[in-house]
Amino acid sequence: MNENLTLSEAFKQTTYPLSGHGPRSIQVLKEALEHIDGNLDSDMYGKGKVIEDFQEKMAGVLGKESAVFFPSGTMAQQIALRIWCDQKGLKRVAYHPLCHLEIHEEDGLKELHHIEPILLADSNRLITLDDVCNMNEDIACLLLELPQREIGGQLPEYSELEAISTYCREQGIKLHLDGARLFEILPYYQKSAAEICALFDSVYISFYKGIGGITGAVLAGDVDFTKESKVWKRRHGGDLISLYPYIISSDYYFEQRVDKMGQYYEDAKELATIVNECHGVNSKPAKPVSNMFHIHFAVPKEKLEPVLFSIYEATGLGIVGYLTKIDETSCYSELSIGDRYANIPTEAIKNAFQMLDEKMRAMI
Amino acid sequence: MNENLTLSEAFKQTTYPLSGHGPRSIQVLKEALEHIDGNLDSDMYGKGKVIEDFQEKMAGVLGKESAVFFPSGTMAQQIALRIWCDQKGLKRVAYHPLCHLEIHEEDGLKELHHIEPILLADSNRLITLDDVCNMNEDIACLLLELPQREIGGQLPEYSELEAISTYCREQGIKLHLDGARLFEILPYYQKSAAEICALFDSVYISFYKGIGGITGAVLAGDVDFTKESKVWKRRHGGDLISLYPYIISSDYYFEQRVDKMGQYYEDAKELATIVNECHGVNSKPAKPVSNMFHIHFAVPKEKLEPVLFSIYEATGLGIVGYLTKIDETSCYSELSIGDRYANIPTEAIKNAFQMLDEKMRAMI
């Protein structure tokens, strides 16, 4: 292995990367298009069979009246919150401190929509019913992200979720679901997507997380809501003349993978057990509730990086593709189990984590 | 031909539709991907070879320091105007009354960016140097669209354009080019894209007009400008994890067609001559200055529609796919010459317009 590689490159070059479905290459699109008739018409600015059929299908899956395909979740979610704020005449919402809108969108919600967010809960735990009930300020909408990605993909108990939903309805607060990884949590909750979505007024789902598509999102709700969302989609510059490359691939990989979420979840729990047996290494949550978890290392990033390089080279297993510094003594990364995991020999995983365990013991 | 068809459907079903390159079908994407290695990595949130190479190439073509690929022109242009307004601390711009931002974007510029537009010139003529000099209010940016699509694709004299550019520079007004059809006007001006863009501070170009790609736009300018545009691109929800389906197809069709703009322009002039020989039918402009022009009919839309159906059926030539009512006595449509025109037998065009001439004479 070339010594000048980044950890991301080294991870990609391993025989067995632990995370994901496969490389994000052009082949992902080529495969999705293979069985599509070239004579099929493009969608045209939100109209046409290819987009309308998929929107209808997803509305059905989510148990909502209507659904709209968006190029991105960033666009879909800002718009959802804007609609609920406009409806109530109040430009204030609440969400988790590590919400995607707060940390990954260059403050689009504030800069474009002038909506003020209330940050609920501490950044290292889930929003609870108490947090919602004890808010001092009135809000138009509460956004819940299931699972809460930035803290390892944690989930509240389903009863807590139901209680929050009931409370919001009583209080006239709209409840929006950031369901970027909605299908990934169905095996844990043992609920259908529609059952979970019934607790929410509006829902966003993504097609390039567990589904493994290229890009794309769906926003669903009642007809008045989705109709208004199309106006905002055009204002944002998202009402593209053709979205079919994303729609076709979203549909193709949805069909390929939506029923495999249970397997990914079982695999994630198995892997977390192996991880937690390693000295100075922990999964967060301790027991995963979806296909994802965070892996925490009780050593500084700079010390761990060369260790990972040597493990990847010796065992052919890629554990993580990047490390994020927590403080001077620890770091973490994210693991999302997909198609790859099932094809990795148990021996390769065992060897790599045995080596990691030994090296961690040597360091701490 | 089925009598319940819309004019658009009837047009598509003709043997020889006059406008465009071909059907907007999935085949357009399939063809562009055919010679692309499936192992090529996706772009990732604006990074990676596939997007960076294309942006660099387009910056070169446009003679600008830097270029950014956007999913849409709607997004790119709002952002360009926002950046210039922020820089001057003045949220006011000027553009033509039929500017894309004014009539096709659900007021995104006003609703998302709170920018006030001054409408220059009458809606049926081009913006002149006098219009610019006689503005009563201060503006941050002037947007010029070349060619001015909604009035048939008209163009100012090049000297007028230079004079406007000089004036704006003297006055500290940024000049932005809506160059959705920039390559289409190069044969008339006998200038390179870079020469024209040198008159402007920022430039947007599209890849699905004359270029015939799927979707996509490039915004170009100096490095500070494009760097800021990337922040806004993320805020708008346009910084997609993968834009490669649009980038690859934009590049492919750019290479296929950028050198054919001279032919399309000659074809448009030839066709306009035929059009203008028809009783009660006129091209606007009288002599096209690009591959496009409007075709005006001195009869009401309702009377013309059945006539067109009969011509399409009798001759196999599709003249237009829709009609827009002007008033009780007239209507119009748009023609954009592309690859299709060169493959139409002269006889088919002659027959169709002869029949149109006869039917128009019978009506007026």
Side-chain angles (χ1 to χ4, degrees):
Chain A
M1 221 172 256
N2 186 317
E3 282 177 25
N4 293 318
L5 288 182
T6 63
L7 187 60
S8 162
E9 288 161 348
F11 173 79
K12 278 188 199 168
Q13 290 184 16
T14 59
T15 314
Y16 304 117
L18 272 181
S19 267
H21 300 298
R24 281 190 67 87
S25 68
I26 312 300
Q27 191 55 36
V28 175
L29 176 58
K30 287 193 157 202
E31 184 186 327
L33 287 172
E34 234 162 58
H35 302 288
I36 302 286
D37 179 359
N39 291 317
L40 181 66
D41 274 339
S42 168
D43 52 312
M44 289 282 283
Y45 299 115
K47 305 270 186 214
K49 189 170 164 54
V50 68
I51 188 163
E52 288 168 16
D53 282 1
F54 188 61
Q55 288 176 164
E56 204 176 307
K57 175 177 172 174
M58 285 300 126
V61 168
L62 303 173
K64 293 292 179 197
E65 261 182 35
S66 175
V68 181
F69 191 87
F70 276 82
S72 74
T74 296
M75 195 184 290
Q77 295 207 106
Q78 284 181 29
I79 288 172
L81 299 189
R82 175 62 184 261
I83 293 170
W84 297 136
C85 283
D86 282 355
Q87 192 179 92
K88 194 165 186 168
L90 173 66
K91 289 215 168 184
R92 199 181 302 122
V93 298
Y95 53 52
H96 193 270
L98 299 180
C99 176
H100 196 275
L101 289 99
E102 190 64 16
I103 64 173
H104 291 306
E105 302 182 8
E106 295 280 3
D107 278 340
L109 187 75
K110 299 163 200 166
E111 296 287 338
L112 287 170
H113 294 284
H114 307 284
I115 291 172
E116 175 203 349
I118 307 290
L119 305 183
L120 284 186
D122 297 332
S123 60
N124 58 0
R125 65 160 178 89
L126 292 171
I127 293 172
T128 64
L129 177 62
D130 276 354
D131 294 322
V132 182
C133 296
N134 295 333
M135 254 185 295
N136 291 320
E137 290 178 281
D138 213 15
I139 56 167
C141 179
L142 169 65
L143 179 150
L144 291 184
E145 182 186 348
L146 304 178
Q148 196 74 49
R149 180 205 183 174
E150 299 289 344
I151 50 173
Q154 298 181 43
L155 283 177
E157 287 307 306
Y158 198 73
S159 55
E160 177 102 9
L161 205 55
E162 290 176 308
I164 293 175
S165 173
T166 303
Y167 177 82
C168 284
R169 258 169 219 171
E170 286 164 2
Q171 299 294 315
I173 296 168
K174 294 293 178 182
L175 192 58
H176 171 79
L177 172 59
D178 178 340
R181 293 164 182 81
L182 172 63
F183 300 105
E184 291 86 322
I185 63 171
L186 304 185
Y188 172 75
Y189 278 143
Q190 289 291 301
K191 301 278 177 190
S192 70
E195 282 172 305
I196 296 173
C197 292
L199 304 175
F200 294 84
D201 299 289
S202 56
V203 177
Y204 139 71
I205 58 168
S206 170
F207 296 100
Y208 65 94
K209 314 299 182 331
I211 299 294
I214 296 172
T215 296
V218 147
L219 184 64
D222 65 30
V223 169
D224 286 347
F225 171 82
T226 56
K227 195 175 161 197
E228 203 173 337
S229 80
K230 288 179 188 178
V231 175
W232 283 107
K233 180 181 169 189
R234 175 154 287 222
R235 286 174 179 151
H236 266 253
D239 189 19
L240 309 183
I241 184 168
S242 296
L243 280 163
Y244 72 79
Y246 299 143
I247 296 166
I248 288 171
S249 47
S250 293
D251 195 16
Y252 178 80
Y253 291 106
F254 178 81
E255 289 301 329
Q256 298 279 312
R257 300 201 174 108
V258 73
D259 293 334
K260 292 167 97 177
M261 296 296 167
Q263 186 57 53
Y264 303 153
Y265 169 50
E266 293 304 323
D267 291 344
K269 284 189 289 186
E270 176 187 286
L271 181 60
T273 305
I274 298 169
V275 161
N276 288 318
E277 282 165 1
C278 253
H279 182 74
V281 188
N282 286 95
S283 74
K284 185 176 175 181
K287 194 173 174 186
V289 290
S290 72
N291 73 322
M292 74 166 288
F293 60 87
H294 281 185
I295 178 166
H296 283 246
F297 304 91
V299 288
K301 176 180 166 171
E302 303 70 37
K303 282 182 78 175
L304 182 59
E305 222 164 46
V307 168
L308 291 181
F309 275 104
S310 66
I311 294 174
Y312 296 179
E313 186 160 13
T315 67
L317 191 92
I319 300 175
V320 297
Y322 68 92
L323 288 171
T324 302
K325 177 179 170 169
I326 298 173
D327 54 32
E328 297 310 322
T329 62
S330 62
C331 59
Y332 80 101
S333 192
E334 182 178 291
L335 282 165
S336 289
I337 301 306
D339 290 347
R340 275 169 169 162
Y341 187 84
N343 297 319
I344 305 176
T346 316
E347 207 55 22
I349 298 175
K350 201 183 130 196
N351 290 344
F353 280 93
Q354 201 169 333
M355 193 170 160
L356 178 62
D357 182 61
E358 285 162 17
K359 301 225 172 214
M360 289 295 290
R361 283 178 197 280
M363 285 190 286
I364 47 173
Chain B
M1 220 172 256
N2 186 317
E3 281 177 25
N4 293 319
L5 288 182
T6 63
L7 188 61
S8 162
E9 287 162 348
F11 173 79
K12 278 188 196 166
Q13 290 185 15
T14 59
T15 314
Y16 305 116
L18 272 179
S19 265
H21 300 300
R24 281 190 67 86
S25 69
I26 312 300
Q27 192 53 37
V28 175
L29 177 59
K30 286 193 157 200
E31 183 185 327
L33 287 172
E34 234 161 60
H35 303 287
I36 303 286
D37 180 358
N39 292 316
L40 180 66
D41 274 339
S42 169
D43 51 312
M44 290 281 282
Y45 299 114
K47 304 272 185 213
K49 192 171 161 56
V50 67
I51 189 165
E52 287 167 15
D53 283 0
F54 188 61
Q55 289 177 163
E56 203 175 307
K57 175 177 171 175
M58 284 301 127
V61 168
L62 303 174
K64 293 291 178 198
E65 261 182 36
S66 175
V68 181
F69 191 86
F70 276 82
S72 74
T74 295
M75 194 184 291
Q77 296 207 104
Q78 285 181 28
I79 288 173
L81 299 189
R82 175 63 184 261
I83 293 170
W84 296 136
C85 282
D86 281 355
Q87 192 180 94
K88 195 165 185 167
L90 172 67
K91 288 214 167 185
R92 199 182 301 124
V93 299
Y95 52 51
H96 192 272
L98 299 180
C99 175
H100 196 274
L101 289 100
E102 188 64 16
I103 64 173
H104 290 306
E105 303 183 7
E106 294 279 4
D107 278 340
L109 187 75
K110 299 164 202 167
E111 297 286 339
L112 287 171
H113 295 285
H114 307 283
I115 292 172
E116 174 203 351
I118 306 290
L119 306 183
L120 285 184
D122 299 329
S123 59
N124 59 359
R125 67 160 177 87
L126 291 170
I127 292 171
T128 64
L129 177 61
D130 276 354
D131 294 322
V132 182
C133 297
N134 294 333
M135 254 185 295
N136 290 321
E137 291 177 278
D138 214 15
I139 57 168
C141 178
L142 169 65
L143 177 152
L144 292 183
E145 182 186 349
L146 303 177
Q148 195 75 49
R149 180 206 183 174
E150 300 289 344
I151 51 172
Q154 297 182 45
L155 283 176
E157 287 305 308
Y158 199 73
S159 56
E160 177 103 9
L161 205 53
E162 290 177 308
I164 293 174
S165 173
T166 303
Y167 177 82
C168 285
R169 259 170 215 173
E170 286 165 2
Q171 300 294 316
I173 297 168
K174 294 292 180 183
L175 191 58
H176 172 78
L177 172 59
D178 178 340
R181 294 165 182 79
L182 172 63
F183 300 105
E184 290 88 321
I185 64 172
L186 304 184
Y188 172 75
Y189 277 143
Q190 288 290 304
K191 301 279 177 191
S192 71
E195 283 171 304
I196 295 173
C197 292
L199 304 175
F200 294 84
D201 298 288
S202 55
V203 176
Y204 139 70
I205 58 169
S206 170
F207 294 100
Y208 65 94
K209 313 300 183 330
I211 298 295
I214 296 172
T215 297
V218 148
L219 183 65
D222 64 32
V223 170
D224 287 346
F225 170 82
T226 56
K227 195 176 161 196
E228 203 173 338
S229 80
K230 288 179 188 176
V231 175
W232 283 106
K233 180 182 168 188
R234 173 153 289 222
R235 288 174 179 153
H236 267 253
D239 189 18
L240 309 184
I241 183 169
S242 297
L243 280 164
Y244 71 79
Y246 300 143
I247 297 167
I248 288 171
S249 47
S250 293
D251 197 16
Y252 177 81
Y253 292 106
F254 178 81
E255 288 302 330
Q256 298 279 312
R257 299 202 175 108
V258 71
D259 292 333
K260 292 167 95 177
M261 297 294 168
Q263 185 60 50
Y264 303 153
Y265 169 50
E266 294 304 322
D267 291 344
K269 284 189 289 186
E270 177 187 284
L271 180 61
T273 305
I274 298 168
V275 161
N276 288 317
E277 282 165 359
C278 255
H279 182 73
V281 188
N282 286 96
S283 75
K284 182 176 177 178
K287 196 173 172 184
V289 290
S290 73
N291 73 323
M292 75 165 288
F293 60 85
H294 281 184
I295 178 167
H296 283 246
F297 303 91
V299 287
K301 178 181 165 173
E302 302 71 35
K303 279 182 79 175
L304 182 59
E305 222 163 44
V307 167
L308 291 180
F309 275 104
S310 66
I311 294 173
Y312 296 179
E313 186 160 14
T315 68
L317 191 93
I319 299 174
V320 296
Y322 68 93
L323 288 171
T324 302
K325 177 180 173 171
I326 299 173
D327 54 31
E328 297 308 324
T329 62
S330 60
C331 60
Y332 80 101
S333 192
E334 183 178 288
L335 283 164
S336 289
I337 301 305
D339 290 347
R340 276 170 169 162
Y341 187 84
N343 297 319
I344 304 176
T346 316
E347 207 57 19
I349 298 175
K350 202 182 129 196
N351 290 344
F353 280 92
Q354 200 169 338
M355 194 170 159
L356 178 63
D357 182 62
E358 285 161 19
K359 301 228 173 209
M360 291 294 289
R361 282 179 199 278
M363 286 190 286
I364 48 173

